[in-house]
Amino acid sequence: MKQYKIDKILNHLKEQKTITSLEAFQLYNITRLSAIIYVLRHTHHLYITNDDFKAKDGTHFARYHLHEGESAPDVTVAKGQMSIKDFM
């Protein structure tokens, strides 16, 4: 995953406060939003939550919310499971 993708989503969240996978694809041609959200949560220690929705056609999607100024819950990844390098 390229750093510029992470930066685009981070900037979007800072400006708009929310984003969905469809918006990420339409605006930035990014298809793996959940992976970017994972990186932002774990390497930037951002408090990002998501709400799950069901569209009229029955598909499920998530809207991610950035909570600026709030402390992120303590999140740790077990040693050896995953690294930031897995996303770059």
Side-chain angles (χ1 to χ4, degrees), residues 55-71:
K56 291 179 184 177
D57 66 359
T59 56
H60 292 267
F61 67 96
R63 176 172 294 280
Y64 295 95
H65 304 268
L66 174 63
H67 300 275
E68 286 189 292
E70 296 182 38
S71 297

Side-chain angles (χ1 to χ4, degrees), residues 57-88:
D57 66 359
T59 56
H60 292 267
F61 67 96
R63 176 172 294 280
Y64 295 95
H65 304 268
L66 174 63
H67 300 275
E68 286 189 292
E70 296 182 38
S71 297
D74 229 1
V75 178
T76 58
V77 176
K79 187 175 180 178
Q81 278 189 342
M82 200 165 282
S83 151
I84 186 65
K85 292 177 185 174
D86 295 328
F87 295 97
M88 302 226 170

Side-chain angles (χ1 to χ4, degrees), residues 1-2 5-7 9-10 30-41 48 87:
M1 178 182 309
K2 303 280 186 193
K5 290 182 179 183
I6 295 169
D7 293 336
I9 296 303
L10 180 57
I30 292 173
T31 57
R32 301 226 27 243
L33 178 60
S34 61
I36 293 172
I37 296 298
Y38 180 91
V39 170
L40 290 172
R41 283 176 175 156
I48 302 172
F87 295 97

